[in-house]
Amino acid sequence: MNKHRVYETNSSYWDTKGNDFLRAIVLPFYGAFVTEEKCQLFGDVSGKKMLEIGCGDGQSLQYQGERKAAELWGMDISENQIEKAKQHLTTCGLSAKLICSPMEEECDLPVDYFDFVYSIYAIGWTTDLEGTFCRIASYLKKDGIFIFSWSHPIHKCVVNENNRLAFNKSYFDESWYSVAPIFVKAS
Ligand SMILES: C[S@@+](CC[C@H](N)C(=O)[O-])C[C@H]1O[C@@H](n2cnc3c(N)ncnc32)[C@H](O)[C@@H]1O
């Protein structure tokens, strides 16, 4: 599939859905059961320059800002997400530089600059993992740190059958698979 077609599909999904309903993919959560409080992967970020890849609506940037990071930068493929992040961070009294771009592409981010580049549940959307990792390496200053989280591939192999977890697919099968839509009840 043409990569620009994938970017369009991807950004229009996030433009429409957003991530407001997904609580466990926002720092301090790295995912369902893993938190920064417990793992201390970042530790003390005061005075540090931070870049989030796939920053969504800015809640993880808020977390870093409240922990006194010196600079907050975020990038995301979805214009709506960037707009929401802008509004959210302004409401929180935080300033951030936000860029709308696919993570796969060159987008005027400074190189050799950041203490931390991180991504919470966004990196798996890339169409070019190696290229994206190379770009991320270029944004980091010497001895800078890259932290990311993504769901474990075993999730796609397990189904709930009569309240028991059953394997319905080989862990080594990398073919396309579909995901059931998530329905969220408005509160
Ligand atoms: C689950 S959300 C991340 C939420 C974020 N951790 C937060 O704190 O709000 C995933 C984000 O990745 C972004 N994304 C998906 N594909 C992308 C790409 N190729 N390049 C940049 N961002 C992308 C989506 O627009 C979405 O906002």
Side-chain angles (χ1 to χ4, degrees):
M1 201 190 276
N2 172 300
K3 74 174 177 179
H4 295 286
R5 182 85 193 88
V6 177
Y7 294 162
E8 258 173 53
T9 309
N10 196 357
S11 60
S12 81
Y13 171 82
W14 288 102
D15 275 351
T16 323
K17 296 282 173 210
N19 64 283
D20 327 30
F21 61 94
L22 298 166
R23 293 267 71 88
I25 45 77
V26 166
L27 284 174
F29 284 91
Y30 288 104
F33 306 106
V34 187
T35 64
E36 170 62 11
E37 276 94 355
K38 193 167 165 201
C39 301
Q40 292 287 300
L41 299 183
F42 287 96
D44 180 8
V45 297
S46 56
K48 303 293 184 193
K49 294 175 185 164
M50 324 286 289
L51 165 65
E52 180 168 0
I53 305 289
C55 64
D57 59 13
Q59 294 181 67
S60 298
L61 284 169
Q62 174 197 352
Y63 179 78
Q64 306 291 22
E66 287 170 351
R67 294 165 76 231
K68 307 279 177 262
E71 286 186 28
L72 302 175
W73 294 62
M75 63 96 67
D76 199 286
I77 198 170
S78 153
E79 276 177 28
N80 278 6
Q81 292 284 71
I82 289 288
E83 195 44 50
K84 279 188 193 170
K86 228 175 249 172
Q87 285 174 14
H88 179 67
L89 293 166
T90 305
T91 309
C92 297
L94 294 165
S95 100
K97 297 195 175 81
L98 300 170
I99 296 174
C100 187
S101 167
M103 63 181 94
E104 296 89 329
E105 303 293 333
E106 144 58 34
C107 62
D108 283 340
L109 280 163
V111 297
D112 196 12
Y113 188 76
F114 293 97
D115 298 290
F116 287 97
V117 178
Y118 68 95
S119 185
I120 312 298
Y121 268 74
I123 215 76
W125 295 95
T126 184
T127 51
D128 173 13
L129 189 60
E130 195 179 337
T132 300
F133 278 6
C134 285
R135 284 197 189 285
I136 288 170
S138 76
Y139 305 144
L140 285 166
K141 59 163 81 154
K142 186 173 178 299
D143 297 330
I145 293 173
F146 174 42
I147 295 172
F148 73 93
S149 66
W150 187 251
S151 64
H152 196 285
I154 206 161
H155 286 178
K156 72 179 191 296
C157 308
V158 182
V159 287
N160 182 346
E161 279 179 4
N162 304 323
N163 279 336
R164 297 188 60 170
L165 294 177
F167 280 81
N168 69 341
K169 182 176 158 87
S170 163
Y171 178 69
F172 298 101
D173 176 357
E174 293 188 2
S175 58
W176 288 95
Y177 63 100
S178 56
V179 177
I182 301 170
F183 296 102
V184 184
K185 203 173 155 197
S187 53

